[in-house]
């Protein structure tokens, strides 16, 4: 199984576990004399099976991410870099939105609001950073589809 396939399976298991959580909550209590729509014991058994499968899959994914490398960087390294670069870009996008916001003045006597940074220059750098992030993500996706799950 390719690493990318394992990631898809992990997502499916996580969704299934969330669904089981909701179904368990829906069947936790019934009115006296009534029966639950589903048997909680069976749902808990299925939940345990899904969680065990998820644990094993996550362990194997993490092991693979730590073992597979590309140009001296493991997938784990690349994932950490992607997460941090993405966060930085999102923060700077919000900052530049604020810095470039215009305010209207009714007359010359009102206070003029100015940006504290060169917005156009920083926007070009941010665009370059966003492109580098997309390329990094593509690199990670390529590794996911070309490497077997350990």
């Amino acid at each position: 199984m390719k690493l990318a396939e394992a990631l898809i399976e992990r997502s499916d298991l996580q969704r299934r576990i969330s669904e089981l959580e909701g179904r368990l909550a829906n069947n936790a209590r019934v009115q006296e004399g009534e029966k639950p729509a589903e048997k909680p014991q069976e749902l808990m058994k299925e939940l345990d099976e899904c969680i065990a499968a998820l644990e094993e899959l996550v362990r194997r994914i993490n092991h693979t991410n730590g073992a597979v490398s590309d140009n001296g960087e493991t997938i784990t390294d690349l994932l950490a870099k992607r997460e941090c670069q993405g966060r930085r870009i999102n923060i700077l996008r919000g900052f530049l939105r604020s810095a470039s916001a215009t305010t209207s003045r009714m007359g010359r006597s009102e206070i003029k609001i100015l940006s504290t940074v060169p917005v156009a220059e920083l926007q070009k750098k941010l665009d370059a950073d966003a492109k580098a992030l997309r390329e990094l993500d593509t690199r990670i996706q390529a590794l996911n589809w070309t490497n077997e799950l350990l």
Side-chain angles (χ1 to χ4, degrees), residues 9-63:
E9 186 175 329
R10 179 187 67 183
S11 177
D12 288 344
L13 279 168
Q14 289 169 332
R15 186 175 24 264
R16 181 116 177 110
I17 289 167
S18 290
E19 290 170 359
L20 285 167
E21 179 182 17
R23 289 167 58 195
L24 274 165
N26 291 339
N27 290 282
R29 296 171 42 155
V30 294
Q31 185 175 340
E32 185 178 358
E34 297 291 321
K35 292 184 179 182
E38 296 181 87
K39 294 180 181 177
Q41 293 79 5
E42 290 177 12
L43 293 173
M44 287 188 286
K45 181 180 181 226
E46 188 176 348
L47 176 67
D48 288 343
E49 291 168 358
C50 286
I51 287 177
L54 179 64
E55 181 181 341
E56 173 65 15
L57 193 57
V58 167
R59 186 190 63 73
R60 291 179 66 197
I61 289 168
N62 289 344
H63 181 71

Side-chain angles (χ1 to χ4, degrees), residues 3-149:
L3 179 55
E5 294 170 305
L7 294 170
I8 293 167
E9 186 175 329
R10 179 187 67 183
S11 177
D12 288 344
L13 279 168
Q14 289 169 332
R15 186 175 24 264
R16 181 116 177 110
I17 289 167
S18 290
E19 290 170 359
L20 285 167
E21 179 182 17
R23 289 167 58 195
L24 274 165
N26 291 339
N27 290 282
R29 296 171 42 155
V30 294
Q31 185 175 340
E32 185 178 358
E34 297 291 321
K35 292 184 179 182
E38 296 181 87
K39 294 180 181 177
Q41 293 79 5
E42 290 177 12
L43 293 173
M44 287 188 286
K45 181 180 181 226
E46 188 176 348
L47 176 67
D48 288 343
E49 291 168 358
C50 286
I51 287 177
L54 179 64
E55 181 181 341
E56 173 65 15
L57 193 57
V58 167
R59 186 190 63 73
R60 291 179 66 197
I61 289 168
N62 289 344
H63 181 71
T64 304
N65 286 346
V68 172
S69 66
D70 180 53
N71 294 329
E73 294 178 294
T74 65
I75 294 176
T76 300
D77 297 334
L78 297 173
L79 291 171
K81 185 184 292 188
R82 180 180 69 180
E83 180 181 338
C84 291
Q85 284 180 353
R87 186 161 190 193
R88 180 180 179 278
I89 286 169
N90 286 335
I91 290 168
L92 290 178
R93 277 190 182 131
F95 171 71
L96 288 178
R97 247 189 324 274
S98 294
S100 63
T102 58
T103 55
S104 58
R105 297 187 312 164
M106 298 302 216
R108 290 182 179 234
S109 63
E110 290 188 47
I111 297 173
K112 188 174 184 180
I113 305 297
L114 301 173
S115 178
T116 60
V117 295
V119 174
E121 179 183 319
L122 288 175
Q123 186 62 55
K124 284 182 184 177
K125 179 164 179 3
L126 185 60
D127 291 344
D129 291 347
K131 180 181 179 190
L133 180 61
R134 287 189 305 276
E135 290 169 350
L136 175 61
D137 190 55
T138 300
R139 185 175 162 201
I140 292 168
Q141 294 302 321
L143 289 168
N144 289 344
W145 283 107
T146 56
N147 286 283
E148 293 292 327
L149 186 66

